[in-house]
Amino acid sequence: MLMQRSATGADLAALWELRTRAVRATCASHYPPDVIETWCATPPPAALPLRVRAGGAVVAEENGQVIGYAILNQDTGEVDAAFVEPAHQGRGIALRLMRELETMARLRGLARMFLSASLNAVPFYERAGFVPVREEVYPHRSGIGIRSVFMEKRLPQHA
């Protein structure tokens, strides 16, 4: 049974491993092997445990295994990550996770969410209600530039 819950510090290694598998499987159609290898070899960012501790990360879990996760910077509205195990993609898991991030953002009073989408992920984020703003080269912390699309989603506030 698929369940969603807040991520915890105990999930950190599993999240990063899932992210690496997803990047290798889904980004290879849009990026050259050397970019994928550099991207995947990069250690987790220092902000990852901070976002998890702050309550900005949600995981999808099935049969005790984390099969997807998404992370929101609750101060700025930036979606830091959204990944689903390759074998579980296409089931609507990522859309459910994004809806949870949107709820978090609204509760924080944020007017928008934004992200830098990998080229392969643009159609997914459009389905989630994000609008492409511009193409860009994302300055990855590994030192490489990753072609991407800056996208945003306006969040109407309810009284």
Side-chain angles (χ1 to χ4, degrees):
M1 173 183 224
L2 185 65
M3 299 173 56
Q4 277 184 207
R5 63 172 175 80
S6 294
T8 69
D11 296 316
L12 290 170
L15 300 183
W16 201 247
E17 291 165 8
L18 187 160
R19 165 259 186 202
T20 301
R21 286 189 299 276
V23 167
R24 286 188 192 284
T26 61
C27 297
S29 61
H30 288 77
Y31 299 94
D34 61 321
V35 170
I36 298 291
E37 288 310 310
T38 302
W39 190 350
C40 288
T42 307
L48 179 61
L50 301 176
R51 301 268 183 268
V52 168
R53 276 198 301 273
V58 61
V59 299
E61 190 174 68
E62 193 168 64
N63 301 321
Q65 295 293 115
V66 173
I67 60 170
Y69 75 97
I71 300 175
L72 177 69
N73 178 329
Q74 296 179 85
D75 295 325
T76 67
E78 181 175 12
V79 176
D80 281 350
F83 292 104
V84 173
E85 282 285 359
H88 293 280
Q89 291 177 0
R91 295 176 48 196
I93 295 167
L95 282 172
R96 286 177 56 178
L97 293 170
M98 292 304 295
R99 281 196 297 270
E100 184 64 27
L101 294 191
E102 186 173 331
T103 297
M104 284 182 200
R106 286 176 193 265
L107 289 172
R108 296 288 289 221
L110 297 172
R112 73 177 183 133
M113 293 168 59
F114 63 96
L115 54 90
S116 186
S118 57
L119 300 177
N120 54 288
V122 170
F124 161 73
Y125 286 115
E126 287 176 326
R127 285 191 304 278
F130 285 78
V131 176
V133 175
R134 67 180 174 276
E135 291 185 17
E136 63 183 8
V137 176
Y138 180 79
H140 193 264
R141 10 184 220 96
S142 65
I144 62 171
I146 298 176
R147 290 179 40 237
S148 62
V149 177
F150 183 85
M151 303 180 79
E152 70 179 3
K153 180 175 185 174
R154 296 284 171 189
L155 303 174
Q157 300 299 309
H158 302 291

